[in-house]
Amino acid sequence: MNRGTLNQLFFTTIDRHAALPAAFRSKVAGTWVGITHREALERVQAISLGLRALGIQPGDKVSIVSENRPEWALADYACLTARATDVPIYPTLTAKQTEYILRDSESVAVFCSTTEQVDKVLEVKGSLPGLKHIIAFDGDAARRPGVTALSAVEAKGRAAAAQHPNWKQEALAAQPDDLATLIYTSGTTGDPKGVMLTHYNIW
C-alpha cells in the first residue's frame, strides 16, 4: 500500500479540481461567497509563509480555536505546508480548558476566529509564556492589543514569497510519519489527552 501525506493530497486536489467554480463556500452578510481552488492555494501559501515570517518552525505546535469556516481549513493547510503540527481546540471550551490544551500541546501560536475566542485566550495568556502569537480571523478581533489579523499574516507571507521559490517542494518534503495534528479527547474521565496523528494516519 502506498504511504502518502496530507500535503500531497492538498496539492493533488488543487490541480485536479482547479476548473471547478469553488473549493469553499460560506455565507458572508447573508450572501454565499466562494473561494476557488487557486485562491485557496494562494491564501494557504501566504499564511504558511506568514507563519514562517513570525518564526514558526517545522515541528512547532499551532492551535486553532474556531467554529467551522473556510479560514479554519486554510489555517489547517497552512500549518501542514509549513510542516507545523496543528492543534484543533473546540470553540465551546472555557478559557481554563483552552489554557490547559495550549499549555499541554506547547503551542507557540494560536488562530482564533472571533472576538469571543480571542478574549478567551487573552484571559489566560499571562500563564502561557510559550504562546508567542495570537492570530485573529475576524478584523474586529484583531483590534485587541497583542493580536495579529490573519490578513496581516497573509500580507507578510505574500511579501516574503519571492524569497521562498521552493515553498511547494519544501511542503512536499513532509514524511508520512511526521506528526500532522494533536487532537485532544473530551476529558470526561480526567484531563484531556492529546492524540498524536501522523500524516499517514489521516491519509
Side-chain angles (χ1 to χ4, degrees):
M1 179 182 289
N2 291 334
R3 290 172 57 82
T5 68
L6 298 175
N7 292 352
Q8 290 172 340
L9 290 180
F10 173 70
F11 290 115
T12 299
T13 300
I14 291 293
D15 290 339
R16 183 177 296 159
H17 300 296
L20 293 178
F24 303 101
R25 284 194 180 94
S26 62
K27 269 193 176 178
V28 180
T31 302
W32 286 101
V33 176
I35 300 174
T36 68
H37 287 78
R38 288 301 172 198
E39 288 170 339
L41 175 62
E42 290 170 4
R43 292 192 67 186
V44 165
Q45 180 179 14
I47 299 167
S48 177
L49 290 176
L51 290 175
R52 190 181 297 191
L54 292 177
I56 306 299
Q57 301 291 322
D60 281 348
K61 313 300 191 303
V62 178
S63 288
I64 306 174
V65 187
S66 174
E67 305 75 17
N68 186 25
R69 53 190 288 175
E71 294 88 350
W72 198 108
L74 297 174
D76 178 41
Y77 290 126
C79 290
L80 292 172
T81 54
R83 298 179 64 188
T85 298
D86 64 59
V87 184
I89 300 177
Y90 287 111
T92 53
L93 295 184
T94 66
K96 291 302 290 182
Q97 290 170 318
T98 301
E99 176 189 5
Y100 175 85
I101 294 174
L102 289 169
R103 178 184 294 108
D104 189 71
S105 66
E106 299 180 338
S107 289
V108 299
V110 58
F111 289 99
C112 296
S113 55
T114 62
T115 300
E116 178 186 356
Q117 302 304 335
V118 166
D119 287 347
K120 189 190 300 182
V121 172
L122 287 174
E123 182 181 330
V124 299
K125 187 177 185 299
S127 61
L128 296 168
L131 185 66
K132 305 300 183 186
H133 305 285
I134 301 173
I135 304 164
F137 293 160
D138 290 349
D140 288 345
R143 294 193 178 95
R144 298 288 196 270
V147 179
T148 303
L150 178 65
S151 59
V153 174
E154 290 188 55
K156 281 180 180 289
R158 288 193 179 94
Q163 302 166 34
H164 300 281
N166 298 320
W167 170 76
K168 180 177 178 179
Q169 290 83 351
E170 291 167 1
L172 288 171
Q175 297 299 305
D177 291 328
D178 286 351
L179 186 61
T181 187
L182 282 174
I183 297 181
Y184 276 75
T185 62
S186 61
T188 52
T189 58
D191 289 331
K193 306 294 191 297
V195 180
M196 302 170 70
L197 297 176
T198 67
H199 279 258
Y200 180 62
N201 285 149
I202 303 172
W203 185 87

Short mmCIF file of all heavy atoms in Angstrom, two decimals, residues 1-2 7 14 20 22 28 35 47-48 54 64 73 80 101 104 119 125 127 129 138 144 164 170 172 175 180 189 196:
data_model
loop_
_atom_site.label_atom_id
_atom_site.label_comp_id
_atom_site.label_asym_id
_atom_site.label_seq_id
_atom_site.Cartn_x
_atom_site.Cartn_y
_atom_site.Cartn_z
N MET A 1 0.84 -1.20 0.00
CA MET A 1 0.00 0.00 0.00
C MET A 1 0.88 1.25 0.00
O MET A 1 1.89 1.31 0.70
CB MET A 1 -0.90 0.00 1.24
CG MET A 1 -1.80 1.22 1.34
SD MET A 1 -2.80 1.23 2.87
CE MET A 1 -3.93 -0.09 2.47
N ASN A 2 0.49 2.24 -0.80
CA ASN A 2 1.24 3.50 -0.83
C ASN A 2 1.12 4.23 0.50
O ASN A 2 0.12 4.11 1.20
CB ASN A 2 0.71 4.39 -1.95
CG ASN A 2 1.03 3.84 -3.32
OD1 ASN A 2 2.00 3.10 -3.49
ND2 ASN A 2 0.21 4.17 -4.30
N ASN A 7 -0.13 16.81 2.62
CA ASN A 7 0.34 17.83 1.70
C ASN A 7 0.25 17.36 0.25
O ASN A 7 -0.13 18.12 -0.64
CB ASN A 7 1.77 18.25 2.05
CG ASN A 7 1.84 18.98 3.38
OD1 ASN A 7 0.82 19.31 3.97
ND2 ASN A 7 3.05 19.24 3.85
N ILE A 14 -5.89 20.41 -5.50
CA ILE A 14 -5.90 21.74 -6.12
C ILE A 14 -5.75 21.60 -7.64
O ILE A 14 -6.50 22.22 -8.41
CB ILE A 14 -4.76 22.61 -5.56
CG1 ILE A 14 -5.03 22.96 -4.08
CG2 ILE A 14 -4.58 23.87 -6.40
CD1 ILE A 14 -6.20 23.88 -3.85
N LEU A 20 -13.16 23.78 -11.22
CA LEU A 20 -14.46 23.90 -10.55
C LEU A 20 -14.67 25.32 -10.04
O LEU A 20 -13.71 26.04 -9.77
CB LEU A 20 -14.53 22.91 -9.38
CG LEU A 20 -14.53 21.42 -9.76
CD1 LEU A 20 -14.55 20.56 -8.52
CD2 LEU A 20 -15.71 21.08 -10.66
N ALA A 22 -15.71 26.55 -7.20
CA ALA A 22 -15.35 26.90 -5.81
C ALA A 22 -14.82 25.69 -5.07
O ALA A 22 -15.29 24.57 -5.25
CB ALA A 22 -16.55 27.48 -5.07
N VAL A 28 -21.53 35.20 3.90
CA VAL A 28 -20.97 36.44 4.43
C VAL A 28 -22.04 37.50 4.28
O VAL A 28 -22.43 37.83 3.16
CB VAL A 28 -19.68 36.84 3.69
CG1 VAL A 28 -19.13 38.14 4.27
CG2 VAL A 28 -18.64 35.73 3.75
N ILE A 35 -14.64 30.55 -2.63
CA ILE A 35 -13.18 30.64 -2.74
C ILE A 35 -12.77 29.55 -3.72
O ILE A 35 -13.06 28.38 -3.50
CB ILE A 35 -12.49 30.41 -1.38
CG1 ILE A 35 -12.92 31.46 -0.36
CG2 ILE A 35 -10.97 30.42 -1.54
CD1 ILE A 35 -12.39 31.20 1.04
N ILE A 47 -0.42 32.32 4.08
CA ILE A 47 -0.50 32.10 5.54
C ILE A 47 0.68 31.24 6.00
O ILE A 47 1.30 31.52 7.04
CB ILE A 47 -1.84 31.45 5.92
CG1 ILE A 47 -3.01 32.35 5.53
CG2 ILE A 47 -1.89 31.18 7.44
CD1 ILE A 47 -4.37 31.65 5.59
N SER A 48 1.02 30.23 5.22
CA SER A 48 2.13 29.34 5.56
C SER A 48 3.44 30.13 5.65
O SER A 48 4.19 30.00 6.63
CB SER A 48 2.24 28.24 4.50
OG SER A 48 3.35 27.41 4.73
N LEU A 54 6.79 34.80 11.06
CA LEU A 54 6.60 35.02 12.50
C LEU A 54 7.57 34.17 13.33
O LEU A 54 7.61 34.31 14.56
CB LEU A 54 5.17 34.69 12.90
CG LEU A 54 4.07 35.62 12.38
CD1 LEU A 54 2.70 35.10 12.81
CD2 LEU A 54 4.27 37.04 12.89
N ILE A 64 -5.76 25.99 16.76
CA ILE A 64 -6.84 26.64 16.03
C ILE A 64 -8.09 26.57 16.90
O ILE A 64 -8.59 25.48 17.19
CB ILE A 64 -7.13 25.95 14.68
CG1 ILE A 64 -5.85 25.85 13.83
CG2 ILE A 64 -8.23 26.70 13.92
CD1 ILE A 64 -6.03 25.06 12.54
N ALA A 73 -10.03 25.80 7.61
CA ALA A 73 -9.35 24.89 6.67
C ALA A 73 -8.08 25.53 6.12
O ALA A 73 -7.05 24.86 5.98
CB ALA A 73 -10.29 24.51 5.54
N LEU A 80 0.08 22.66 7.92
CA LEU A 80 0.63 21.43 7.34
C LEU A 80 1.72 21.73 6.33
O LEU A 80 2.77 21.08 6.32
CB LEU A 80 -0.49 20.63 6.68
CG LEU A 80 -1.54 20.03 7.61
CD1 LEU A 80 -2.69 19.43 6.82
CD2 LEU A 80 -0.92 18.97 8.52
N ILE A 101 -5.03 23.00 27.14
CA ILE A 101 -4.60 22.41 25.87
C ILE A 101 -3.46 23.21 25.26
O ILE A 101 -2.49 22.65 24.73
CB ILE A 101 -5.79 22.28 24.90
CG1 ILE A 101 -6.81 21.28 25.46
CG2 ILE A 101 -5.33 21.85 23.51
CD1 ILE A 101 -8.09 21.18 24.66
N ASP A 104 -0.41 22.19 27.40
CA ASP A 104 -0.02 20.79 27.25
C ASP A 104 0.56 20.52 25.87
O ASP A 104 1.51 19.74 25.73
CB ASP A 104 -1.22 19.88 27.51
CG ASP A 104 -0.84 18.41 27.58
OD1 ASP A 104 -0.20 18.02 28.59
OD2 ASP A 104 -1.15 17.67 26.63
N ASP A 119 -10.64 36.88 23.22
CA ASP A 119 -10.71 37.30 24.62
C ASP A 119 -10.46 36.12 25.56
O ASP A 119 -9.84 36.27 26.62
CB ASP A 119 -12.07 37.93 24.91
CG ASP A 119 -12.20 39.32 24.30
OD1 ASP A 119 -11.18 39.89 23.88
OD2 ASP A 119 -13.33 39.84 24.26
N LYS A 125 -3.45 34.13 28.66
CA LYS A 125 -2.14 34.22 28.02
C LYS A 125 -1.01 34.50 29.01
O LYS A 125 0.12 34.05 28.82
CB LYS A 125 -2.15 35.29 26.92
CG LYS A 125 -0.86 35.28 26.09
CD LYS A 125 -0.91 36.29 24.97
CE LYS A 125 0.33 36.19 24.09
NZ LYS A 125 1.58 36.46 24.82
N SER A 127 -0.33 33.23 31.69
CA SER A 127 0.22 32.00 32.28
C SER A 127 0.76 31.05 31.20
O SER A 127 1.03 29.89 31.50
CB SER A 127 -0.86 31.28 33.11
OG SER A 127 -1.96 30.92 32.28
N PRO A 129 3.75 31.37 28.86
CA PRO A 129 4.93 32.07 28.32
C PRO A 129 5.36 31.56 26.96
O PRO A 129 6.02 32.29 26.20
CB PRO A 129 6.00 31.82 29.38
CG PRO A 129 5.56 30.60 30.13
CD PRO A 129 4.06 30.66 30.13
N ASP A 138 -11.25 37.33 12.29
CA ASP A 138 -12.11 38.50 12.11
C ASP A 138 -11.34 39.78 12.41
O ASP A 138 -10.57 39.86 13.38
CB ASP A 138 -13.33 38.42 13.03
CG ASP A 138 -14.31 37.34 12.61
OD1 ASP A 138 -14.15 36.80 11.49
OD2 ASP A 138 -15.24 37.04 13.38
N ARG A 144 -7.57 43.92 19.36
CA ARG A 144 -7.09 43.75 20.72
C ARG A 144 -5.56 43.88 20.74
O ARG A 144 -4.88 43.40 19.82
CB ARG A 144 -7.50 42.38 21.27
CG ARG A 144 -9.00 42.15 21.37
CD ARG A 144 -9.59 42.98 22.48
NE ARG A 144 -10.92 42.54 22.86
CZ ARG A 144 -12.06 42.99 22.32
NH1 ARG A 144 -12.03 43.90 21.36
NH2 ARG A 144 -13.23 42.55 22.74
N HIS A 164 11.06 32.54 -1.17
CA HIS A 164 10.83 31.10 -0.94
C HIS A 164 10.30 30.44 -2.21
O HIS A 164 9.17 29.93 -2.24
CB HIS A 164 9.84 30.92 0.22
CG HIS A 164 10.30 31.50 1.51
ND1 HIS A 164 11.22 30.88 2.33
CD2 HIS A 164 10.00 32.67 2.12
CE1 HIS A 164 11.46 31.63 3.39
NE2 HIS A 164 10.73 32.72 3.29
N GLU A 170 9.32 22.21 -0.48
CA GLU A 170 9.60 22.07 0.96
C GLU A 170 8.39 21.49 1.69
O GLU A 170 8.53 20.67 2.60
CB GLU A 170 10.00 23.42 1.54
CG GLU A 170 11.36 23.90 1.04
CD GLU A 170 11.62 25.36 1.37
OE1 GLU A 170 10.75 26.01 1.99
OE2 GLU A 170 12.71 25.86 0.99
N LEU A 172 6.20 19.50 0.35
CA LEU A 172 6.10 18.09 -0.06
C LEU A 172 7.21 17.23 0.53
O LEU A 172 7.17 16.01 0.40
CB LEU A 172 6.12 18.00 -1.59
CG LEU A 172 4.83 18.48 -2.28
CD1 LEU A 172 5.03 18.55 -3.79
CD2 LEU A 172 3.67 17.56 -1.93
N GLN A 175 7.04 13.94 5.62
CA GLN A 175 7.05 12.48 5.54
C GLN A 175 5.76 11.89 6.12
O GLN A 175 5.13 12.49 6.99
CB GLN A 175 8.25 11.93 6.30
CG GLN A 175 9.59 12.36 5.71
CD GLN A 175 9.78 11.90 4.29
OE1 GLN A 175 9.69 10.70 4.01
NE2 GLN A 175 10.04 12.84 3.39
N ALA A 180 1.09 15.32 12.17
CA ALA A 180 0.24 16.30 11.47
C ALA A 180 -0.61 17.10 12.45
O ALA A 180 -0.74 18.31 12.33
CB ALA A 180 -0.66 15.60 10.46
N THR A 189 -13.10 11.74 31.55
CA THR A 189 -12.60 10.85 32.61
C THR A 189 -11.29 11.37 33.19
O THR A 189 -10.51 10.60 33.76
CB THR A 189 -12.41 9.42 32.07
OG1 THR A 189 -11.49 9.46 30.96
CG2 THR A 189 -13.73 8.83 31.62
N MET A 196 -1.87 11.76 19.09
CA MET A 196 -0.90 12.11 18.05
C MET A 196 -1.26 11.41 16.74
O MET A 196 -1.24 10.18 16.67
CB MET A 196 0.51 11.71 18.51
CG MET A 196 0.94 12.37 19.80
SD MET A 196 2.46 11.67 20.48
CE MET A 196 3.66 12.26 19.27
#
